[in-house]
């Protein structure tokens, strides 16, 4: 199976090889599933089964081949994974059914990941449908608009100033910032940075230069994007381009 990356609302799914990320942290909860009998280390400790890493936990991952899922913490799957962590920063899940030797010859993500999800007691449809659990309808609408980038309808970043967003939602800026943090568990600015990062990654994988991707996603310039990318994913943009290809 060739390397690939799939963008869905609330989840980014990656199948790759030669993943070598230096210490980094990000907003997403990470689920990593290495291929059996291939090398994989988490924080310099060898692992050979699925592992869940909580949001904003610094970690270092090296994996010869396997799956990585980056999950929005406020989504259905994010909340389910948080429960699995039981308060720990990361958790290994042992069990023979959590090994896989050969990826299936299909583009159907549910077929690839069903045994993993079933073993973890999770719904197998999560790779295709992972809804947000935010309650406030205004925040739900905002998240839906932010997800439009995933369908290639990128909205210019100057649409996302907190003052402009608050005005659009008929809220004061302070009320909007409080409500957003309350609903998502993360302040607006770092959440927006995460969304911009995903937007830039998608643009680059579609062939955009780092400069164009930086502009499109709202970074001041390509060095700003490069610094943010390395801090978020623990690798350079060039490394990521050699590992992943969008599906």
């Amino acid at each position: 199976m060739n390397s690939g990356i799939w963008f869905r609302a609330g989840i980014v799914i990656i199948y790759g090889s030669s993943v070598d990320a230096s210490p980094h942290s990000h907003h997403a909860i990470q689920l990593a599933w290495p291929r059996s009998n291939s090398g994989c280390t988490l924080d310099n400790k060898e692992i050979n089964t699925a592992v869940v890493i909580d949001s904003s936990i610094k970690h270092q991952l090296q994996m010869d081949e396997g799956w990585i899922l980056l999950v929005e913490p406020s989504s259905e799957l994010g909340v389910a994974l948080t429960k699995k962590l039981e308060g720990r920063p990361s958790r290994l899940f042992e069990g023979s059914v959590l090994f896989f030797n050969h990826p299936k010859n299909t583009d159907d993500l549910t077929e690839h990941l069903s045994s993993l999800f079933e073993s973890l007691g999770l719904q197998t449809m999560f790779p295709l449908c992972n809804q947000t659990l935010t309650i406030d309808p205004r925040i739900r609408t905002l998240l839906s608009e932010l997800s439009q980038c995933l369908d290639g309808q990128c909205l210019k970043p100057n649409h996302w100033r907190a003052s402009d967003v608050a005005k659009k939602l008929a809220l004061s800026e302070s009320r909007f910032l409080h409500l957003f943090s309350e609903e998502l568990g993360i302040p607006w600015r770092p959440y927006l940075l995460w969304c911009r990062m995903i937007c830039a990654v998608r643009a680059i994988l579609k062939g955009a230069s780092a400069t164009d991707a930086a502009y499109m996603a709202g970074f001041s310039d390509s060095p700003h994007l490069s610094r943010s990318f390395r801090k978020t994913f623990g690798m350079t943009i060039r490394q990521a381009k050699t590992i992943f290809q969008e599906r």
Side-chain angles (χ1 to χ4, degrees):
M1 179 177 176
N2 296 325
S3 297
I5 181 167
W6 296 259
F7 296 91
R8 303 284 187 273
I11 185 171
V12 178
I13 301 173
I14 300 162
Y15 186 82
S17 58
S18 303
V19 175
D20 186 5
S22 58
H24 65 286
S25 64
H26 42 65
H27 168 63
I29 296 173
Q30 182 165 326
L31 172 56
W33 192 28
R35 182 174 175 175
S36 300
N37 302 317
S38 65
C40 182
T41 63
L42 175 66
D43 297 332
N44 297 315
K45 295 179 181 177
E46 187 173 344
I47 64 172
N48 55 13
T49 188
V51 61
V52 178
I53 305 165
D54 203 359
S55 169
S56 303
I57 296 297
K58 182 174 282 190
H59 58 282
Q60 180 179 13
L61 181 70
Q62 292 178 303
M63 187 165 66
D64 288 347
E65 185 176 345
W67 292 91
I68 294 174
L69 282 69
L70 301 175
V71 182
E72 167 58 47
S74 63
S75 67
E76 286 183 289
L77 177 56
V79 171
L81 289 175
T82 298
K83 291 179 180 176
K84 298 290 180 187
L85 283 166
E86 298 176 339
R88 287 171 275 190
S90 64
R91 181 182 175 187
L92 288 168
F93 290 85
E94 305 287 352
S96 58
V97 291
L98 283 167
F99 295 95
F100 79 96
N101 288 312
H102 300 286
K104 299 172 182 175
N105 186 26
T106 173
D107 285 331
D108 187 337
L109 288 172
T110 57
E111 283 198 40
H112 283 292
L113 299 170
S114 59
S115 64
L116 170 65
F117 277 63
E118 287 172 356
S119 300
L120 296 179
L122 301 169
Q123 297 177 33
T124 57
M125 292 303 293
F126 272 137
L128 301 179
C129 183
N130 181 32
Q131 307 242 350
T132 179
L133 290 180
T134 52
I135 297 172
D136 190 280
R138 296 162 293 189
I139 301 300
R140 291 177 69 92
T141 299
L142 174 60
L143 296 180
S144 177
E145 291 183 8
L146 283 167
S147 295
Q148 288 182 33
C149 286
L150 301 177
D151 296 323
Q153 302 173 42
C154 184
L155 303 179
K156 291 299 180 187
N158 58 7
H159 290 181
W160 305 113
R161 290 193 191 96
S163 58
D164 294 341
V165 175
K167 185 177 181 180
K168 185 176 179 180
L169 299 180
L171 296 169
S172 68
E173 183 174 346
S174 61
R175 174 58 184 149
F176 162 65
L177 293 174
H178 176 78
L179 179 62
F180 190 89
S181 293
E182 188 176 62
E183 289 282 327
L184 274 292
I186 180 175
W188 167 247
R189 192 179 294 268
Y191 185 83
L192 185 59
L193 176 63
W194 171 252
C195 292
R196 284 175 167 166
M197 190 67 61
I198 297 300
C199 179
V201 169
R202 189 147 197 248
I204 288 170
L205 293 175
K206 282 184 171 296
S209 67
T211 300
D212 289 342
Y215 170 74
M216 182 185 302
F219 293 90
S220 56
D221 50 31
S222 59
H224 182 203
L225 169 60
S226 297
R227 290 193 302 273
S228 300
F229 189 93
R230 189 175 184 96
K231 183 179 179 181
T232 304
F233 296 107
M235 63 179 72
T236 65
I237 293 174
R238 178 173 294 183
Q239 284 177 293
K241 287 177 70 175
T242 60
I243 296 173
F244 309 122
Q245 181 176 2
E246 187 177 1
R247 298 293 185 87

